[in-house]
Amino acid sequence: MAEMRDEQSRVETREYLTFTLGAEEYAIDILKVQEIRGYDAVTRIANTPDYIKGVINMRGVIVPVVDMRLKFHLGEATYDAFTVMIILNLGQRIVGMVVDAVSDVIALSDDDIRPAPDFGATFDTQYLMGLATVAERMAIVVDIEKLMTSSEMGLVDQLSQTAV
Amino acid sequence: MSIDLSQFHQVFIDEAYEHLATMESLLLSLDLDAPDLEELNAIFRAAHSIKGGSGTFGFKDIADLTHALETLLDKLRRQELQVTDEMITAFLHCCDLLSLMLEAHQDGTHVDDQAVLESKAHLMRLAEGSESVLPVTVMPGAPESTFTSSPHLSANRWRIHLHPHTDLFSGAVSEAALLSDLAAMGDLVLISRAANSQRVWELTTALNLEALEEVFAFVCQADEVSFEALNETPQAVTDEDEEDAYGFFVDEDSLPAAQTIQEEALREEAISDEDPGFGFFVDLESLPAHSEPEAAEEEGFGFFVDPSELPAAQDAASQAALEAEQGFGFFVDESELPVHSSDTAEMLGRAAIATKNPVPVAPSQPDLKTPAPAKNTEKASGVKSASKAAAAETSIRVGIEKVDQLINLVGELVITRSMLAQSASILDPVTYEAIHNGLANLERNSRDLQEAVMSIRMLPINFVFGRFPRVVRDLSQKMQKKVALKLVGEETELDKGLIEKLADPLTHLLRNSIDHGIESPEIRSQLGKPEEGTITLSASHQGGSILVEISDDGAGLNRERLLEKAREKGLPISDNPTDKEVWQLIFAPGFSTAKEITDVSGRGVGMDVVQRNIAEMKGQVEIDSVPGMGTRIGLRLPLTLAILDGMSLRVGEEIFILPLTRIIESIQPESEQLKSVSGQGRVVHIRGEYVPLLELWKLFTLTPKFTDPEAGILVVVETVAGKMALFVDELIAQQQVVIKSLETHYRKVEGISGATIMGDGRVALIIDIDRLARMHKSDVAPESMSF
Amino acid sequence: MGKSILSVDDSASIRQMVSFTLKGAGYTVTEAVDGAQGLEKAKTAKFDLILTDQNMPNMDGLTLIRNLRALPAYRSVPILVLTTEAGDAMKAQGKAAGATGWLVKPFDPQKLIEVVKKVIG
C-alpha cells in the first residue's frame, strides 16, 4: 500500500525552493523563482516601510526589493557579500526578496504538505499552504504570490495601501 | 493551388487607410475654382489603388463603392466635369464609409448597406453630370456587388438609356410599373432623368440582356432603348475583347515561354471550359497546330518539340475564341521575343529531365490542371517572411513593443558600456591604448545607436494635425462660420505615444475655437474683420520641449463673463485677479461660457479634461487672450515620453534626476538670502523674489552631506505652484535618461515620476517637481509622507 | 536559376501578393514602387519579364514602358501591364507604348502564374 501511494504521489510532485529566515525554513514554488542573486546596488525609496529596501535594475526593468527579515522580524538584517536575494516572477510582476540563506530544492507531493496549525506564526495563515517535513526538518510552505501581492506587503497600488 | 490571400489583408487595409487619408487631405486642400490636375490625379490614383486592391483581395463591397468613386474622379481628372463642392462632400462622405467598411472587415462589424448604396448612387449621378436626384429604388438586399475579382460572377451591371420618340410616361406607359419590373430584376439606380421620359438607369442583375429587352419590349420600340454593359464581368459581354482578363499583342510563340507553352496551351484548351477568364488576344501561334498532335500525349509531363516546328500555322479563329474566355493578351508577335530561341536548348534540357521524371521539377514545368504543384505552395510559405520584408521598401511596419524592446536593449548596452569604461579606467592608457580607443568608439557608436533607435518612435506631428482640416470643414459648416485652418510646423517630430494622446485635446480646443472663438461672418464683417476667421495650428521645438499652439483671430476670452460665471458657480476668485488667473477659470470642471449649449463644444466638460490630459503627458497649458483679437492656447510638452533631458544631482548617497526643462538656475545662497516666513517655512530671497525652499533630504528622509543650504546648492525650478528652490548636496551632470516606469513591478511613489538606469547600472529616481511642490505647500510635514 | 521578374506597382499589398505568388512559383522577383523606381531598377539589373501597374505616381506604366523600350537591353523583354481597364483605348495605348500584353486587375494569383508561365516559362 505504502509503495502504491508513493507511486501515485510521485506523479503530483512539485519542486520547491527552501530558504531560511532566522531559525525557520520556508519553501516556495520553484516555478515562481526567476533567479537568485546577491544583494547589490539597491536604490532607496523615500517614505516607505523599512522592509522595502528600494529598487534595483534587473536587465532594464525596475524591480522592488523587500527584506523578509525586516518584514517578519526574523534573523538579522545585515547586508554583505553573502546576503542573497530571490528574484520572484509572479505572473505580471517581478519582486526581489532578501532572505538569510537559500538552502535547497526539494520535491514535495501534495500529500507531503500538511495543513498548518494555527500557531500564530510570523506569517498570517492565509499565505501558508501548510507544513512539510523534509529530512527531519520542518519547512513552512508559503504561497509567495499571494503574500507578495497582498496589501500587507505594500508592493502593489491598492486601495488599502494606506493601511501599512 | 490556392494562395491564401488573407495574409495580405492587413497590408491592404493599412494601405487603404493611408490612401483614404491622402484622399481626404487632398480633397480638403483642393481649390474648386482652379483644381490642380496633378492633385486630381493623385486623388484618382488613391481611389484606383483601393479599388484594385480590394478587388484582388476579395473586398467586393469596397471595390464596388470605390468603383463609383473612381468613375467620378476619372471624369474630373479628364476635365469632363467640373469639381463642385457637392462632389467634395460626396467624396468625403464616401471616404468615411470606406473607412467604416475597412473597419467592418477587420472586426466583423457591419456597415449600413443603405448608406453605401446611396453614396454610390450619389457618386454615379454626379458622374453622369446630373444634379442630385434621389435614387428610384435602392435595394439593399440585392446582389451587393458588380465589381468583383471572381470570374464566375453572375451579376452584371447594365446602363439602360431610355430615349423614346414620344413622351412615353405621359401616355399609356406606367413608369411605376416599369420601375417595379426592373427593380424586381436586381439593384436599380436612377442615374438621370430628363424631359420626354428620357431616363438613364443602372441595373445590377443576374439576368441577361434578353431578359432586359423583354421588359422593354412591352414599353417601347427597340430603337428607343439601349443597353450598355458596364463591362466588369465576363458575362456582361458586348464586346468580347473588353472582357479579357489578359491578353497578348503578339504571337504567343514569340514569348520566351513559347517552347514550354505547347503542352500548356493544349491543356489550357482542354480546361478552358471550366476556367474561363483568360485567352489570347492575337495570333496564338502554334496553339492548335502543335498542341493537337500532342494532345494525345500524357499530361503530367511532356516533350518539347523541335523549335523549328514552332512558328507554325496559326488558327486565329480558335485562338480568338479562347482568348475571349481568358483575360489577358499580348501586343506583339511572339517570335519577336528574345527568349524564344535562346532558351531552346535549356528547354530541351529541361524536357529531357521531365521525360525521365513525371513529377515536375522545374518551376516552369507546365502543368495547368494543377497550376501550382504542392511543391511550389510549400516554397511559397517558405518565402513568406522574405517577401514581406522586401515588400515595403520605403517603410516597414513594426509593433511599437518591438521598438520599445529595442530601446530597452540599447539602454542596457549603454549601461554595459559605461560599466566597462569604469573597469577599464584603471588600466594604463599607454599599455592598453587599444582598449581605450575601442571603448571610445563603443561610446560613440552606442550613443548614435541610441539616438537612432529613439528616433524610430518619433513621428511628424502631421499624423495628428492631418485630421483637422476635415474637422474644421465639418464644424464650420455646421456652425455656419467661415474658418480657414492654417497648419504650421507639421513636420515637427515628437514621440508616437504623445501624438496619439494629443488628438483628443487638440480636437477639443479646435472645436472651442470655432464655436466660441470665431464670430459669425456677419458679426465679423460688422467688426471690420475678414468674414473668414483664421485658426492657426502650429508646432515647434523649443529647447527640450515641443510647443503646440492653437490661435484664432476670434472674439477672445471675455473677462467679465468669465468672472460672472465663476461667481455664479461659486468658484473662488481673488479680489483683483490677473488675466492669467481669470483665464485659468475655464479649466474648472463644469465651466462653460457658451451662451447656449451647442452639440459642438459640448457641455463644458472639456477644458478640465484637456488640462488633465496634457498634465498626464507631463505638459502644461498656457492661455493668452486679447478681447476682440483672439485667443492663443499653448500646449508645452516633452519631446518624448521615453527620454528625458535631465540634471542628475546628489543628496547623501542617492542620485536623483530633475527634468532639465524645469530648471531656471542654480545658486549657492549667501546666509542673508535665507529667511524663515511663518506658515511658509524657509524661503530664499533671489533678486527681489521670495522663493520657497524645498529641502530634498527632508522630503525624502535622506541623510545628506549638507543640512545647511549655504554649503550645498539650490536649484531654482518652475513648478505648478510657482518657483521653488530645491536644496541638494551637489549637481552632477546634465544627461539624457531613458524613463522607466516604477509601476510596472512596484507602485506609484509620491514625488517621483519614474526611474532611470544610470551608467553604473544603478537605478536613479526622477523627481516629480510639481508633486513635490504641492507636497511642500500642503504642509511642512505632509500627511501623505508619514508612514 | 529562376527567371527574374520586375514587379512595378505603387500598392504595397499588390506588390506583396505578386511577389509572393511568383516567388512561390520559383521566380526571382524584384519590386519597384513606381515607374521611376522601376526604370532605375531595370537599368541596374537585367529582368526576363516586367509586370507594371498603369496608374502610379511619379511615372505611370505606359511611360515606363516607353522608356524601357528606348533602352537597347529592354527592346524585346516582355512587359505586361496590370490594369483595371481592358478597353480598346487602353489596348491601343499599351500596344503603342510597346507592351507585350495585359492582365486585368483584379486577378487571382493563379491567373498571374498562368500568364507569366505563358510568357517566360
Side-chain angles (χ1 to χ4, degrees), chain A residues 81-103:
Chain A
F82 304 104
T83 308
V84 289
M85 250 191 295
I86 299 171
I87 307 295
L88 301 167
N89 194 330
L90 311 171
Q92 298 295 309
R93 284 176 175 263
I94 300 174
V95 178
M97 165 173 91
V98 182
V99 297
D100 274 336
V102 171
S103 22

PDB file of all heavy atoms in Angstrom, chain A residues 81-103:
ATOM      1  N   ALA A  81      28.441  40.496   1.377  1.00  0.00           N
ATOM      2  CA  ALA A  81      28.639  39.714   0.163  1.00  0.00           C
ATOM      3  C   ALA A  81      27.843  38.425   0.166  1.00  0.00           C
ATOM      4  O   ALA A  81      27.633  37.802  -0.871  1.00  0.00           O
ATOM      5  CB  ALA A  81      30.118  39.402  -0.017  1.00  0.00           C
ATOM      6  N   PHE A  82      27.400  38.002   1.375  1.00  0.00           N
ATOM      7  CA  PHE A  82      26.668  36.724   1.449  1.00  0.00           C
ATOM      8  C   PHE A  82      25.149  36.904   1.461  1.00  0.00           C
ATOM      9  O   PHE A  82      24.416  35.932   1.449  1.00  0.00           O
ATOM     10  CB  PHE A  82      27.110  35.949   2.698  1.00  0.00           C
ATOM     11  CG  PHE A  82      28.594  35.740   2.732  1.00  0.00           C
ATOM     12  CD1 PHE A  82      29.408  36.497   3.563  1.00  0.00           C
ATOM     13  CD2 PHE A  82      29.177  34.806   1.875  1.00  0.00           C
ATOM     14  CE1 PHE A  82      30.785  36.327   3.557  1.00  0.00           C
ATOM     15  CE2 PHE A  82      30.553  34.636   1.872  1.00  0.00           C
ATOM     16  CZ  PHE A  82      31.365  35.387   2.717  1.00  0.00           C
ATOM     17  N   THR A  83      24.715  38.155   1.503  1.00  0.00           N
ATOM     18  CA  THR A  83      23.273  38.393   1.515  1.00  0.00           C
ATOM     19  C   THR A  83      22.697  38.007   0.152  1.00  0.00           C
ATOM     20  O   THR A  83      23.236  38.391  -0.880  1.00  0.00           O
ATOM     21  CB  THR A  83      22.984  39.877   1.801  1.00  0.00           C
ATOM     22  OG1 THR A  83      23.694  40.247   2.973  1.00  0.00           O
ATOM     23  CG2 THR A  83      21.503  40.122   1.999  1.00  0.00           C
ATOM     24  N   VAL A  84      21.616  37.208   0.197  1.00  0.00           N
ATOM     25  CA  VAL A  84      21.047  36.789  -1.091  1.00  0.00           C
ATOM     26  C   VAL A  84      19.642  37.313  -1.277  1.00  0.00           C
ATOM     27  O   VAL A  84      18.896  37.555  -0.325  1.00  0.00           O
ATOM     28  CB  VAL A  84      21.033  35.248  -1.254  1.00  0.00           C
ATOM     29  CG1 VAL A  84      22.427  34.708  -1.440  1.00  0.00           C
ATOM     30  CG2 VAL A  84      20.305  34.588  -0.103  1.00  0.00           C
ATOM     31  N   MET A  85      19.318  37.454  -2.562  1.00  0.00           N
ATOM     32  CA  MET A  85      18.004  37.897  -2.973  1.00  0.00           C
ATOM     33  C   MET A  85      17.417  36.822  -3.870  1.00  0.00           C
ATOM     34  O   MET A  85      18.105  36.329  -4.769  1.00  0.00           O
ATOM     35  CB  MET A  85      18.170  39.149  -3.838  1.00  0.00           C
ATOM     36  CG  MET A  85      17.687  40.399  -3.199  1.00  0.00           C
ATOM     37  SD  MET A  85      17.622  41.726  -4.382  1.00  0.00           S
ATOM     38  CE  MET A  85      19.261  42.020  -4.873  1.00  0.00           C
ATOM     39  N   ILE A  86      16.187  36.467  -3.614  1.00  0.00           N
ATOM     40  CA  ILE A  86      15.485  35.574  -4.539  1.00  0.00           C
ATOM     41  C   ILE A  86      14.633  36.466  -5.425  1.00  0.00           C
ATOM     42  O   ILE A  86      13.818  37.251  -4.939  1.00  0.00           O
ATOM     43  CB  ILE A  86      14.591  34.569  -3.774  1.00  0.00           C
ATOM     44  CG1 ILE A  86      15.450  33.700  -2.844  1.00  0.00           C
ATOM     45  CG2 ILE A  86      13.802  33.709  -4.744  1.00  0.00           C
ATOM     46  CD1 ILE A  86      14.642  32.835  -1.905  1.00  0.00           C
ATOM     47  N   ILE A  87      14.858  36.372  -6.726  1.00  0.00           N
ATOM     48  CA  ILE A  87      14.054  37.172  -7.642  1.00  0.00           C
ATOM     49  C   ILE A  87      12.835  36.342  -8.023  1.00  0.00           C
ATOM     50  O   ILE A  87      12.958  35.271  -8.611  1.00  0.00           O
ATOM     51  CB  ILE A  87      14.843  37.571  -8.902  1.00  0.00           C
ATOM     52  CG1 ILE A  87      16.168  38.245  -8.534  1.00  0.00           C
ATOM     53  CG2 ILE A  87      13.991  38.460  -9.809  1.00  0.00           C
ATOM     54  CD1 ILE A  87      16.052  39.565  -7.818  1.00  0.00           C
ATOM     55  N   LEU A  88      11.672  36.852  -7.639  1.00  0.00           N
ATOM     56  CA  LEU A  88      10.429  36.122  -7.867  1.00  0.00           C
ATOM     57  C   LEU A  88       9.756  36.651  -9.120  1.00  0.00           C
ATOM     58  O   LEU A  88       9.729  37.857  -9.356  1.00  0.00           O
ATOM     59  CB  LEU A  88       9.487  36.321  -6.683  1.00  0.00           C
ATOM     60  CG  LEU A  88       9.999  35.865  -5.326  1.00  0.00           C
ATOM     61  CD1 LEU A  88       9.113  36.417  -4.224  1.00  0.00           C
ATOM     62  CD2 LEU A  88      10.051  34.341  -5.266  1.00  0.00           C
ATOM     63  N   ASN A  89       9.210  35.733  -9.905  1.00  0.00           N
ATOM     64  CA  ASN A  89       8.441  36.146 -11.060  1.00  0.00           C
ATOM     65  C   ASN A  89       6.999  35.726 -10.819  1.00  0.00           C
ATOM     66  O   ASN A  89       6.643  34.570 -10.944  1.00  0.00           O
ATOM     67  CB  ASN A  89       9.001  35.489 -12.321  1.00  0.00           C
ATOM     68  CG  ASN A  89       8.449  36.139 -13.558  1.00  0.00           C
ATOM     69  OD1 ASN A  89       7.321  36.642 -13.549  1.00  0.00           O
ATOM     70  ND2 ASN A  89       9.220  36.128 -14.625  1.00  0.00           N
ATOM     71  N   LEU A  90       6.189  36.708 -10.458  1.00  0.00           N
ATOM     72  CA  LEU A  90       4.820  36.407 -10.056  1.00  0.00           C
ATOM     73  C   LEU A  90       3.858  36.843 -11.153  1.00  0.00           C
ATOM     74  O   LEU A  90       3.189  37.855 -11.042  1.00  0.00           O
ATOM     75  CB  LEU A  90       4.496  37.153  -8.756  1.00  0.00           C
ATOM     76  CG  LEU A  90       5.531  37.002  -7.637  1.00  0.00           C
ATOM     77  CD1 LEU A  90       5.224  37.954  -6.496  1.00  0.00           C
ATOM     78  CD2 LEU A  90       5.575  35.566  -7.133  1.00  0.00           C
ATOM     79  N   GLY A  91       3.828  36.103 -12.208  1.00  0.00           N
ATOM     80  CA  GLY A  91       2.938  36.473 -13.312  1.00  0.00           C
ATOM     81  C   GLY A  91       3.380  37.775 -13.922  1.00  0.00           C
ATOM     82  O   GLY A  91       4.383  37.840 -14.613  1.00  0.00           O
ATOM     83  N   GLN A  92       2.678  38.847 -13.622  1.00  0.00           N
ATOM     84  CA  GLN A  92       2.969  40.144 -14.219  1.00  0.00           C
ATOM     85  C   GLN A  92       4.120  40.861 -13.511  1.00  0.00           C
ATOM     86  O   GLN A  92       4.695  41.777 -14.062  1.00  0.00           O
ATOM     87  CB  GLN A  92       1.734  41.036 -14.148  1.00  0.00           C
ATOM     88  CG  GLN A  92       0.548  40.498 -14.912  1.00  0.00           C
ATOM     89  CD  GLN A  92       0.809  40.435 -16.388  1.00  0.00           C
ATOM     90  OE1 GLN A  92       1.233  41.418 -17.005  1.00  0.00           O
ATOM     91  NE2 GLN A  92       0.607  39.280 -16.984  1.00  0.00           N
ATOM     92  N   ARG A  93       4.404  40.453 -12.305  1.00  0.00           N
ATOM     93  CA  ARG A  93       5.320  41.253 -11.503  1.00  0.00           C
ATOM     94  C   ARG A  93       6.604  40.519 -11.124  1.00  0.00           C
ATOM     95  O   ARG A  93       6.597  39.315 -10.917  1.00  0.00           O
ATOM     96  CB  ARG A  93       4.615  41.710 -10.223  1.00  0.00           C
ATOM     97  CG  ARG A  93       3.656  42.826 -10.517  1.00  0.00           C
ATOM     98  CD  ARG A  93       2.893  43.229  -9.304  1.00  0.00           C
ATOM     99  NE  ARG A  93       2.093  44.390  -9.649  1.00  0.00           N
ATOM    100  CZ  ARG A  93       2.460  45.643  -9.397  1.00  0.00           C
ATOM    101  NH1 ARG A  93       3.558  45.888  -8.727  1.00  0.00           N
ATOM    102  NH2 ARG A  93       1.707  46.653  -9.768  1.00  0.00           N
ATOM    103  N   ILE A  94       7.636  41.315 -11.036  1.00  0.00           N
ATOM    104  CA  ILE A  94       8.906  40.765 -10.577  1.00  0.00           C
ATOM    105  C   ILE A  94       9.268  41.467  -9.268  1.00  0.00           C
ATOM    106  O   ILE A  94       9.145  42.690  -9.157  1.00  0.00           O
ATOM    107  CB  ILE A  94      10.006  40.979 -11.637  1.00  0.00           C
ATOM    108  CG1 ILE A  94       9.608  40.287 -12.939  1.00  0.00           C
ATOM    109  CG2 ILE A  94      11.351  40.450 -11.147  1.00  0.00           C
ATOM    110  CD1 ILE A  94      10.542  40.562 -14.093  1.00  0.00           C
ATOM    111  N   VAL A  95       9.659  40.686  -8.292  1.00  0.00           N
ATOM    112  CA  VAL A  95       9.983  41.238  -6.980  1.00  0.00           C
ATOM    113  C   VAL A  95      11.260  40.560  -6.471  1.00  0.00           C
ATOM    114  O   VAL A  95      11.443  39.352  -6.661  1.00  0.00           O
ATOM    115  CB  VAL A  95       8.842  40.958  -5.959  1.00  0.00           C
ATOM    116  CG1 VAL A  95       9.209  41.485  -4.574  1.00  0.00           C
ATOM    117  CG2 VAL A  95       7.533  41.564  -6.429  1.00  0.00           C
ATOM    118  N   GLY A  96      12.125  41.337  -5.861  1.00  0.00           N
ATOM    119  CA  GLY A  96      13.305  40.758  -5.231  1.00  0.00           C
ATOM    120  C   GLY A  96      13.034  40.603  -3.742  1.00  0.00           C
ATOM    121  O   GLY A  96      12.440  41.469  -3.110  1.00  0.00           O
ATOM    122  N   MET A  97      13.480  39.474  -3.188  1.00  0.00           N
ATOM    123  CA  MET A  97      13.171  39.185  -1.780  1.00  0.00           C
ATOM    124  C   MET A  97      14.470  38.798  -1.084  1.00  0.00           C
ATOM    125  O   MET A  97      15.140  37.847  -1.480  1.00  0.00           O
ATOM    126  CB  MET A  97      12.137  38.061  -1.772  1.00  0.00           C
ATOM    127  CG  MET A  97      11.920  37.357  -0.470  1.00  0.00           C
ATOM    128  SD  MET A  97      10.524  36.208  -0.617  1.00  0.00           S
ATOM    129  CE  MET A  97      11.357  34.716  -1.131  1.00  0.00           C
ATOM    130  N   VAL A  98      14.830  39.552  -0.062  1.00  0.00           N
ATOM    131  CA  VAL A  98      16.062  39.248   0.671  1.00  0.00           C
ATOM    132  C   VAL A  98      15.742  38.247   1.776  1.00  0.00           C
ATOM    133  O   VAL A  98      14.790  38.425   2.531  1.00  0.00           O
ATOM    134  CB  VAL A  98      16.663  40.529   1.284  1.00  0.00           C
ATOM    135  CG1 VAL A  98      17.977  40.219   2.007  1.00  0.00           C
ATOM    136  CG2 VAL A  98      16.882  41.582   0.209  1.00  0.00           C
ATOM    137  N   VAL A  99      16.534  37.167   1.844  1.00  0.00           N
ATOM    138  CA  VAL A  99      16.357  36.157   2.894  1.00  0.00           C
ATOM    139  C   VAL A  99      17.720  35.895   3.542  1.00  0.00           C
ATOM    140  O   VAL A  99      18.745  36.389   3.057  1.00  0.00           O
ATOM    141  CB  VAL A  99      15.772  34.846   2.324  1.00  0.00           C
ATOM    142  CG1 VAL A  99      14.380  35.094   1.746  1.00  0.00           C
ATOM    143  CG2 VAL A  99      16.687  34.241   1.264  1.00  0.00           C
ATOM    144  N   ASP A 100      17.735  35.109   4.612  1.00  0.00           N
ATOM    145  CA  ASP A 100      19.013  34.801   5.261  1.00  0.00           C
ATOM    146  C   ASP A 100      19.884  33.949   4.376  1.00  0.00           C
ATOM    147  O   ASP A 100      21.049  34.240   4.143  1.00  0.00           O
ATOM    148  CB  ASP A 100      18.770  34.076   6.590  1.00  0.00           C
ATOM    149  CG  ASP A 100      18.553  35.067   7.728  1.00  0.00           C
ATOM    150  OD1 ASP A 100      19.026  36.210   7.579  1.00  0.00           O
ATOM    151  OD2 ASP A 100      17.919  34.703   8.719  1.00  0.00           O
ATOM    152  N   ALA A 101      19.297  32.849   3.882  1.00  0.00           N
ATOM    153  CA  ALA A 101      20.079  31.958   3.032  1.00  0.00           C
ATOM    154  C   ALA A 101      19.138  31.094   2.226  1.00  0.00           C
ATOM    155  O   ALA A 101      18.027  30.795   2.656  1.00  0.00           O
ATOM    156  CB  ALA A 101      20.987  31.074   3.885  1.00  0.00           C
ATOM    157  N   VAL A 102      19.588  30.713   1.046  1.00  0.00           N
ATOM    158  CA  VAL A 102      18.828  29.776   0.238  1.00  0.00           C
ATOM    159  C   VAL A 102      19.402  28.406   0.542  1.00  0.00           C
ATOM    160  O   VAL A 102      20.624  28.221   0.537  1.00  0.00           O
ATOM    161  CB  VAL A 102      18.986  30.105  -1.257  1.00  0.00           C
ATOM    162  CG1 VAL A 102      18.390  29.008  -2.110  1.00  0.00           C
ATOM    163  CG2 VAL A 102      18.333  31.447  -1.565  1.00  0.00           C
ATOM    164  N   SER A 103      18.531  27.413   0.864  1.00  0.00           N
ATOM    165  CA  SER A 103      19.116  26.135   1.275  1.00  0.00           C
ATOM    166  C   SER A 103      19.034  25.031   0.232  1.00  0.00           C
ATOM    167  O   SER A 103      20.026  24.375  -0.037  1.00  0.00           O
ATOM    168  CB  SER A 103      18.524  25.663   2.596  1.00  0.00           C
ATOM    169  OG  SER A 103      17.272  26.246   2.843  1.00  0.00           O
TER     170      SER A 103
END
